[in-house]
Amino acid sequence: MNFRGPFRIRADRDRPFPEIEHPEDAIVKVIRSCICGSDLHLYHGLVPDTRVGSTFGHEFIGEIVDVGSSVEKVKVGDRVMVPFNIACGKCAFCKQELYGQCHEANPQSTAAGGIFGYSHTTGGYNGGQAEYVRVPYADVGPTVIPDWMDPDDAVLLTDVVPTGYQAAEMGGIQEGDTVVVFGAGPIGIMAAKCAWLFGAGRVIVIDQLDYRLEFVKEFAQCEVYNFKHLEDPVVFIKKITDSLGADVCIDAVGAEAAGDTMNTMLGRKLLMQGGSTTALHWAINSVKKGGIVSIVGVYGPIDALVPIGNVVNKGITIRASQASVKRLLPKMIEHVKNGIIDPKAMITHRIPLEEVGEGYHIFSKKLDNCIKTVLIPPSA
Amino acid sequence: MIGDETKPEDFRNKRGGDHSHIKGWGVDRDPKNDPTYPMKHRTDEEIEGYTWERPEQQPVTVEVLKSVERPNIPAVFGNTVPPSGLSGALRRLAFKYSESSYGRWLPLVMADRIGEIEGIFEDLGNGHIPNLFAEHGLKSEWKYNRKNFVLKSAVTAAAIAGAILLFTRKKKD
């Protein structure tokens, strides 16, 4: 996959084969990769330092075909799921299990950790929307796929499932809490599903796409509302929550939120802020006083408008992070094994890697009721 | 803008150790009151700073731009698409500023747009004419959103025809 500029992606046969650059590297032959909602931020040109010639893809699984001299825990032939975070396992942050915040993987930014195929702002690594990919710190992140696990489930454990789970986890959900999830994309769908696992009493999902709301209503047994049919989503949520607001609000949208013209212009069209913050606005204003707002939606590094005064006045706790995939993987594997979570049910499109440009367009434009797209390399 | 070459020792956090001179210091400490739980598991190494045993350093074989907020290049890094051309010059300029500055991000946004144009010339230089129809994924637009595709194509064609007409008419005048 070769990024040529906003809205321009092609599959090239002549991409250089990745090499072992470090003793802890592995080379992985990709079996499945996904297009993530956050890949669309790159595709739409919203993330600074996204260089032409880059290969995207931070959700992938594959078979190890080569390892560096220091790699001990995985070997050639292992089929592994690769967390989207690149983590050394040794720095102060990794030791605290903040694998999304590793300090030994990204020269370009101290705010962000290293992420596969996600611009030079997260380290300048090529990603897994390819046939082969270099995987640093192979003893830390990659996890062998259990024999019983479907590869379509496995690939969704590299980001979507743990991110949705951590969104709910960061909400500090208590038994009986009302949880509102903004966004019915794959992350929002999974966050809604996982909110129940923490004992939520009511789960509500807000989006503007009816087909996605129908899906999440079935998949996560939750209430759904289309904000296009609401005069003011915040007032509506207040009305249905005793006029006090939800206990927990989750922003599962991030930089490309619709619903507010000013935010759309500033964040998505003029690129004058780190994305459109509409979903975050609604989350802050819909949560009750003393409530918790959990953010897993991805924003760019540039400043963004948020109603910070309301955060202070309402005494809200904001919790946000890139998911710590390695920390959560064992639990997610158990949940899949026990049938609590069925990730592959979200997959709507399986597209050959050679048609990656079509895959991005379908996902970006939400064509053909697209929810989750999996790319399959020709050699898989 | 940070112009000096920053040294690792400049980043050292001198916390001090003895706070006994501060009356009441720590009397209400409550380790359980941690809003980062359970994402963060506090360890005894929490406040030791930049002291961990670093992994082996990946050799630097291409130009790697580094944030001025860190003293060194991390042990591993991506070595794809090093900066080059005019976009590369802008990226080098951007990396003189901290991550909290617009001076850091706006030149990068501009560099990305220039990089797209450079990419077209690179393609042509390599004898590759970009297939914009395929790169934009328009086959799927035709398949799933045909009405919109036809409408947009018609508007674009009309705009181009109008521009050509305007240009040629002015020339004749």
Side-chain angles (χ1 to χ4, degrees), chain A residues 4-10 21-24 43 45 47-54 86 88 90-93 95-98 103-111 120-121 123-126 134 136-137 166 169-170 271-272 301-303 317 319 327 355 357-358 361-362 365 367-368, chain B residues 35-43 45-46 50 52-59 64-67 69-70 74-83 91 95 99 102 104-106 108-109 112-113 115-116 119-120 122-123 128 130 132 134-141 144-145 148 152:
Chain A
R4 305 309 299 169
F7 301 93
R8 286 182 55 213
I9 277 174
R10 70 173 181 241
E21 308 277 356
H22 184 273
E24 294 180 53
Y43 180 63
V47 180
D49 216 359
T50 302
R51 301 181 191 174
V52 166
S54 301
I86 298 169
C88 74
K90 291 180 178 172
C91 71
F93 307 107
K95 282 180 178 168
Q96 295 170 78
E97 299 195 313
L98 296 170
H103 209 63
E104 292 287 4
N106 181 5
Q108 280 89 8
S109 164
T110 55
H120 278 69
T121 294
Y125 298 90
N126 271 336
R134 172 195 169 212
Y137 300 131
Q166 187 163 326
E169 183 185 58
M170 291 191 296
L271 306 185
M272 291 306 292
I302 302 174
D303 311 25
T317 298
R319 302 171 86 182
R327 175 175 69 85
E355 295 178 20
E358 304 296 336
H361 186 76
I362 289 170
K365 294 288 289 287
L367 300 177
D368 195 30
Chain B
T36 63
Y37 176 84
M39 298 96 73
K40 178 173 170 175
H41 291 261
R42 287 185 177 271
T43 65
E45 296 151 296
E46 171 81 11
Y50 209 148
W52 58 84
E53 183 191 346
R54 301 191 64 215
E56 190 175 322
Q57 179 67 54
Q58 176 183 334
V64 178
L65 298 175
K66 178 182 76 64
S67 169
E69 295 178 37
R70 60 177 302 140
V76 308
F77 50 86
N79 53 5
T80 59
V81 204
R91 294 186 208 283
F95 273 82
E99 293 163 49
Y102 272 104
R104 167 65 176 276
W105 302 111
L106 294 183
L108 287 177
V109 171
D112 290 345
R113 300 292 87 83
E116 187 185 357
I120 292 170
E122 178 192 297
D123 274 343
H128 178 95
L132 295 179
E135 289 180 1
H136 283 282
L138 293 180
K139 191 172 80 177
S140 51
E141 185 74 9
Y144 299 115
N145 201 16
N148 188 58
K152 270 191 172 176

Side-chain angles (χ1 to χ4, degrees), chain B residues 8-19:
Chain B
E9 51 266 34
D10 296 333
F11 285 79
R12 193 156 295 150
N13 184 2
K14 299 180 180 68
R15 295 171 192 268
D18 181 11
H19 298 96

Side-chain angles (χ1 to χ4, degrees), chain A residues 108-132:
Chain A
Q108 280 89 8
S109 164
T110 55
I115 298 177
F116 291 98
Y118 207 79
S119 84
H120 278 69
T121 294
T122 66
Y125 298 90
N126 271 336
Q129 289 165 11
E131 290 190 87
Y132 294 89

Side-chain angles (χ1 to χ4, degrees), chain A residues 147-227:
Chain A
D147 291 339
W148 52 265
M149 185 175 276
D150 189 312
D152 284 346
D153 281 328
V155 73
L156 295 173
L157 293 192
T158 61
D159 180 356
V160 177
V161 176
T163 298
Y165 184 90
Q166 187 163 326
E169 183 185 58
M170 291 191 296
I173 298 166
Q174 301 297 307
E175 193 173 332
D177 273 358
T178 296
V179 179
V180 177
V181 180
F182 291 95
I187 300 294
I189 291 167
M190 198 49 65
K193 178 79 177 174
C194 292
W196 295 117
L197 307 186
F198 291 91
R202 189 180 182 191
V203 180
I204 299 164
V205 176
I206 308 285
D207 199 284
Q208 63 167 338
L209 296 171
D210 284 332
Y211 77 89
R212 289 190 170 188
L213 290 170
E214 285 302 316
F215 178 86
V216 70
K217 185 178 178 182
E218 179 78 18
F219 183 84
Q221 299 95 41
C222 57
E223 292 172 52
V224 297
Y225 299 100
N226 187 325
F227 70 76

